């Protein structure tokens, strides 16, 4: 492994709307990661425009190509940060659907199978909500799903941003220093885990 190589962080947004609070938080996490010397890529799951999982699509045309985009992005990352709202105390369907599709993708050419790309990959969790708990209720479900079904190594440190509708200034940065410190703590911990577990890159 080249110790000088920057850690590459994939930041995934799981929101389904324009003006998303979680997308704003994901952008903030990317900026924080870059300040730490990492490279960061933001992937908006909504933009992938995956259809709802359908066994007939899988059996016919096959797993949609967009699932391959997600697999390639995860495979290229040293760590994955999921920034997502909760719906009724659960991870939103956009996230579960994308990961479900990914779990059905077999290896193709140089691209690994979906479950191979996620196995052993460090992951971190952030959420944002206008509510008082900031999406906290869904995080244990998401943690369990990523660990149990995808063999990801989910870092114990997580943060749920409450009152997120009042949390960002006009430039999209977090106003509250304590919230910024909490996000930084999650990002830095995940980068450290990613660096520690990084597979040898190109050597
Ligand atoms: C179907 C649905 C269920 C929701 N359930 C919750 C919830 O359980 N907890 C919560 O804090 N907010 C809940 N919300 C509100 C979301 O947190 C809010 O819409 C938030 O802005 C979504 O994140 P985004 O801005 O990144 O899209 C729910 C919203 C929808 C549409």
């Amino acid at each position: 492994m080249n110790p000088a190589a920057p850690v590459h962080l994939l930041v995934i947004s799981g929101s389904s709307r324009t003006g998303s609070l979680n997308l704003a938080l994901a952008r903030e996490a990317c900026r924080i990661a870059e300040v730490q010397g990492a490279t960061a890529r933001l992937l908006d799951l909504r933009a992938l425009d995956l259809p709802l999982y359908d066994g007939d699509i899988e059996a016919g045309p096959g797993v949609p190509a967009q699932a391959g985009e997600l697999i390639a992005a995860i495979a290229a990352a040293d760590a994955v940060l999921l920034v997502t709202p909760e719906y009724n105390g659960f991870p939103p369907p956009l996230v579960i659907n994308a990961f479900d599709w990914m779990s059905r993708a077999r290896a193709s050419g140089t691209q690994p199978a979906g479950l191979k790309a996620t196995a052993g990959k460090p992951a971190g969790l952030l959420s944002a909500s206008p509510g008082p708990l900031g999406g906290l209720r869904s995080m244990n479900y998401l943690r369990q799903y990523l660990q149990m079904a995808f063999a990801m190594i989910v870092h114990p440190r997580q943060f749920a941003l409450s009152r997120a509708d009042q949390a960002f200034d006009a430039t999209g940065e977090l106003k509250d220093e304590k919230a910024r410190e909490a996000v930084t703590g999650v990002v830095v911990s995940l980068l450290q885990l990613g660096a520690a577990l990084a597979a040898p890159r190109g050597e």
Side-chain angles (χ1 to χ4, degrees), residues 15-17 19-23 85-89 128-131 134-135 137:
S15 167
S16 293
R17 73 180 189 98
S20 161
L21 301 168
N22 284 275
L23 192 54
E86 72 175 18
Y87 286 173
N88 298 306
S129 158
R137 292 184 302 161

Side-chain angles (χ1 to χ4, degrees), residues 12-157:
I12 296 177
S13 163
S15 167
S16 293
R17 73 180 189 98
T18 307
S20 161
L21 301 168
N22 284 275
L23 192 54
L25 186 56
R27 290 198 177 106
E28 185 79 318
C30 285
R31 284 193 290 270
I32 289 169
E34 284 164 355
V35 167
Q36 297 294 325
T39 57
R41 176 185 169 190
L42 179 60
L43 192 153
D44 182 356
L45 281 185
R46 186 188 190 205
L48 284 184
D49 201 21
L50 271 160
L52 187 63
Y53 174 79
D54 185 312
D56 292 356
I57 296 177
E58 184 183 358
V63 175
Q66 305 96 300
E69 284 180 47
L70 179 58
I71 291 168
I74 290 176
D78 296 310
V80 178
L81 180 62
L82 211 47
V83 189
T84 175
E86 72 175 18
Y87 286 173
N88 298 306
F90 239 69
L94 180 72
V95 171
I96 300 298
N97 187 57
F99 274 73
D100 281 350
W101 268 124
M102 188 169 61
S103 73
R104 305 296 292 173
R106 299 200 182 108
S108 166
T110 57
Q111 187 167 285
L115 292 175
K116 182 97 177 158
T118 58
K121 189 75 64 173
L125 301 179
L126 290 174
S127 69
S129 158
L133 297 179
L136 184 65
R137 292 184 302 161
S138 66
M139 289 174 122
N140 274 344
Y141 296 115
L142 192 52
R143 175 178 295 280
Q144 184 183 4
Y145 175 73
L146 296 175
Q147 290 179 161
M148 178 270 299
F150 292 89
M152 298 185 92
I153 300 172
V154 186
H155 199 287
R157 197 157 181 177

